[in-house]
Amino acid sequence: MKMANYTDQDITLRNESFPRSNSYDPKWIIDNQMGLNPLWLTEWVCEKISLAPGMRVLDLGCGKGLSSIFLAKEYNVQVWAADLWIKPTENYDRFRQADVHDQVFPIHADARSLPFADEYFDAILCTDAYIYFGTDDLYLDYLHHFVKSGGWIGITVPGFMRR
Ligand SMILES: C[S@@+](CC[C@H](N)C(=O)[O-])C[C@H]1O[C@@H](n2cnc3c(N)ncnc32)[C@H](O)[C@@H]1O
């Protein structure tokens, strides 16, 4: 999704709550995000879970893979970037441009029929996508089979924050 009428000077996505995200090009984020800022949401959820280098992470409903790139660069994990609408070839191009193509694997997958082994992942993260497929009462029970015992499922969805 391309946001028109922004100049480089107009774009300020700096947020002191998200220091890691601040180092990414705001234009790149705005040009590729499909809803909320996926880097902020990913940085926020990663403060709550323990990722270690080399871990296997499923980025479920990754869209254009910005969160997948962020996970690889910031936490040095391996990422399976799975999405239904965005073609893996398009995401692979982005992963190559970001130089993370050796650790981020683009996959076309429907979240309701995932092509993975049970207990394959150390963590499953789902950024601004769960509402598209996870509202069935039984879905979380289905999803948790793909995470190792003691692993993590981190879901971020749009909402309002009371201050
Ligand atoms: C609002 S976009 C968010 C994309 C990305 N996570 C981000 O934050 O930029 C929602 C994503 O959910 C994905 N999605 C919707 N239904 C899906 C399904 N059944 N399986 C996998 N992905 C799905 C879409 O392909 C889309 O990329």
Side-chain angles (χ1 to χ4, degrees):
M1 180 184 295
K2 185 111 178 141
M3 303 279 283
N5 304 324
Y6 278 90
T7 69
D8 288 350
Q9 278 163 346
D10 291 332
I11 296 169
T12 50
L13 284 185
R14 290 194 68 76
N15 186 322
E16 63 185 26
S17 301
F18 304 113
R20 291 177 186 262
S21 302
N22 285 341
S23 66
Y24 290 75
D25 178 4
K27 186 173 186 311
W28 176 76
I29 298 170
I30 287 174
D31 284 350
N32 291 294
Q33 70 185 29
M34 295 174 68
L36 307 174
N37 182 333
L39 302 195
W40 286 357
L41 297 180
T42 307
E43 186 165 355
W44 181 83
V45 82
C46 286
E47 286 166 8
K48 278 102 191 138
I49 68 178
S50 302
L51 292 181
M55 276 185 170
R56 290 185 193 148
V57 178
L58 172 60
D59 188 358
L60 185 58
C62 68
K64 296 188 177 178
L66 273 61
S67 48
S68 312
I69 292 168
F70 183 82
L71 286 162
K73 283 190 176 285
E74 299 298 323
Y75 304 97
N76 200 16
V77 291
Q78 302 180 83
V79 185
W80 279 255
D83 198 75
L84 189 61
W85 301 342
I86 304 299
K87 290 190 167 57
T89 303
E90 183 188 326
N91 275 344
Y92 185 46
D93 261 0
R94 236 181 315 277
F95 301 154
R96 273 193 298 212
Q97 281 168 28
D99 201 22
V100 294
H101 52 291
D102 286 340
Q103 65 187 109
V104 182
F105 314 116
I107 292 172
H108 179 253
D110 186 332
R112 297 192 185 97
S113 170
L114 291 171
F116 303 113
D118 283 1
E119 302 192 13
Y120 192 70
F121 294 104
D122 298 286
I124 296 178
L125 300 184
C126 183
T127 305
D128 193 12
Y130 196 78
I131 47 172
Y132 293 90
F133 46 76
T135 52
D136 186 306
D137 283 353
L138 302 176
Y139 185 74
L140 194 55
D141 185 51
Y142 164 75
L143 187 62
H144 100 272
H145 287 102
F146 298 100
V147 189
K148 292 176 187 171
S149 170
W152 302 88
I153 295 180
I155 298 166
T156 49
V157 291
F160 293 103
M161 219 162 105
R162 195 173 302 202
R163 291 198 176 255

